[in-house]
């Protein structure tokens, strides 16, 4: 595993902020009538203007800058001519490299005006987002307590269960896809599971940088890959959501590299202090 020194984490922060900026621009461009290819163009422009390089483009032959996954598509949807309509569940995943260091993040959103949104889709998107932040908060607490990486999966699965117990429809943690270590490559060991497991993973220690990326489905946890060789869909056609952030662990705690505020608001709301290595830019 690649444990990063503080100055290396600062380089990753630069990549993280480029990804954050690209995703913010994409989010602002999402509306009915726009194509997923249009969104890809927006992200590509932001990354290029920042002097960074898109990390997905050319990765095992992947053809675009973003992954855009709509409806029953979970992850790795390829941007193209698909026109977004009000009420679609859209997930957007983006990666960028600056001076050899990677950032990777994703969000899900409902397209168009709230009157067109299915409340169960709103719950899907919000619970997936919450499960990501609970996973990140668990990382920060687990670091202080000498725990292992498995705290992320405990938190994500627990969050999905709690949402159902609180009266929501059941949500499944998608099987077979995980978060990952990240640094001089987009995908590094260790795997970051989104479900509870007896294998607890490596001990949390300063220098560990991981992408936390829960994927939840309104139906089955099972997926297929479409003919294009990339697009991952739920086997029962149920809608899915995906959220992701790149997180660094340091001597003083966790820092969310792909969040503009470093995670301060969401982690603060969960009683966890963000611990950047340097003053926030
Ligand atoms: N961002 C994805 C992940 O979180 C990987 C995208 S696959 C690619 O691991 F081919 F599009 F790059
Ligand atoms: Co990732």
């Amino acid at each position: 595993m690649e444990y990063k020194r503080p100055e290396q984490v600062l380089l990753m922060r630069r990549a993280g902020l480029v990804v954050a900026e690209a995703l913010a621009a994409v989010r602002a461009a999402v509306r009915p009538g726009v194509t997923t290819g249009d969104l890809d163009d927006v992200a590509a422009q932001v990354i290029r203007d920042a002097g960074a390089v898109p990390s997905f483009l050319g990765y095992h032959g992947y053809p675009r800058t973003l992954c855009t996954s709509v409806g029953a598509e979970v992850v790795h949807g390829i941007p193209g001519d698909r026109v977004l309509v009000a009420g679609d569940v859209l997930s957007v995943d983006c990666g960028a490299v600056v001076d050899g260091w990677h950032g990777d993040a994703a969000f899900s959103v409902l397209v168009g005006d709230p009157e067109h949104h299915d409340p169960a889709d709103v719950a899907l998107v919000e619970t997936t987002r919450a499960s990501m932040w609970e996973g990140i908060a668990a990382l920060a607490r687990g670091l202080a307590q000498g725990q292992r990486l498995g705290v992320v999966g405990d938190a994500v699965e627990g969050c999905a269960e709690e949402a159902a117990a609180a009266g929501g429809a059941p949500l499944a943690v998608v099987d077979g896809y995980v978060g990952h270590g990240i640094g001089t490559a987009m995908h590094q060991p260790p795997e970051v599971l989104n479900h509870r497991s007896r294998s607890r993973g490596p001990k949390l220690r300063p220098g560990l940088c991981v992408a936390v990326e829960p994927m939840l489905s309104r139906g089955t946890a099972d997926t297929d890959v479409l003919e294009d060789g990339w697009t991952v869909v739920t086997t029962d056609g149920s809608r899915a959501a995906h959220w992701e952030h790149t997180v660094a662990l340091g001597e003083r705690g966790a820092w969310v590299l792909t969040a503009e505020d470093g995670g301060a608001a969401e982690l603060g709301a969960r009683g966890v202090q963000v611990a950047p290595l340097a003053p926030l830019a």
Side-chain angles (χ1 to χ4, degrees):
M1 270 179 294
E2 181 183 81
Y3 291 95
K4 283 75 172 174
R5 297 189 302 274
E7 64 271 24
Q8 296 175 319
V9 173
L10 282 172
L11 294 173
M12 288 182 66
R13 173 63 165 165
R14 293 171 58 204
L17 286 175
V18 172
V19 171
E21 189 186 346
L23 288 180
V26 168
R27 185 186 266 283
V30 171
R31 67 185 116 75
V34 155
T35 69
T36 53
D38 295 333
L39 300 179
D40 197 73
D41 293 341
V42 168
Q45 183 74 42
V46 171
I47 292 170
R48 200 178 317 119
D49 288 351
V53 175
S55 52
F56 299 178
L57 184 64
Y59 178 82
H60 296 284
Y62 187 77
R64 302 300 291 258
T65 291
L66 296 177
C67 297
T68 51
S69 307
V70 184
E73 298 172 359
V74 183
V75 286
H76 304 168
I78 303 173
D81 295 335
R82 180 169 186 153
V83 178
L84 296 175
V85 304
D88 276 344
V89 178
L90 167 72
S91 302
V92 181
D93 193 344
C94 181
V97 196
V98 175
D99 290 338
W101 293 91
H102 286 252
D104 186 4
F107 69 91
S108 293
V109 70
L110 282 159
V111 177
D113 294 330
E115 65 193 88
H116 300 294
H117 299 172
D118 180 338
D121 288 332
V122 176
L124 167 72
V125 169
E126 278 314 304
T127 303
T128 309
R129 173 180 145 85
S131 74
M132 173 190 67
W133 285 110
E134 290 298 337
I136 296 169
L139 267 184
R141 293 187 202 104
L143 172 69
Q145 295 166 4
Q147 291 181 293
R148 291 178 180 272
L149 188 58
V151 294
V152 174
D154 300 343
V156 168
E157 196 173 331
C159 195
E161 287 170 358
E162 269 167 42
L171 297 172
V173 177
V174 171
D175 261 345
Y177 293 87
V178 297
H180 48 92
I182 180 168
T184 54
M186 174 164 59
H187 292 145
Q188 299 181 326
E191 287 190 345
V192 183
L193 304 186
N194 290 317
H195 57 80
R196 294 193 191 92
S197 175
R198 292 179 64 177
S199 56
R200 303 304 299 160
K203 203 161 172 180
L204 299 173
R205 51 169 269 208
L208 185 67
C209 295
V210 292
V212 174
E213 51 176 320
M215 288 145 266
L216 301 187
S217 149
R218 285 179 55 189
T220 183
D222 298 332
T223 58
D224 279 327
V225 177
L226 296 185
E227 294 278 301
D228 63 17
W230 285 101
T231 311
V232 177
V233 296
T234 56
T235 55
D236 63 358
S238 55
R239 292 176 158 199
H242 174 219
W243 281 81
E244 175 174 22
H245 269 308
T246 297
V247 184
L249 299 184
E251 295 291 344
R252 296 191 290 137
W255 190 17
V256 184
L257 301 178
T258 44
E260 205 183 339
D261 73 348
E266 292 290 340
L267 293 181
R270 291 168 172 81
V272 173
Q273 285 289 109
V274 166
L277 302 169
L280 295 181

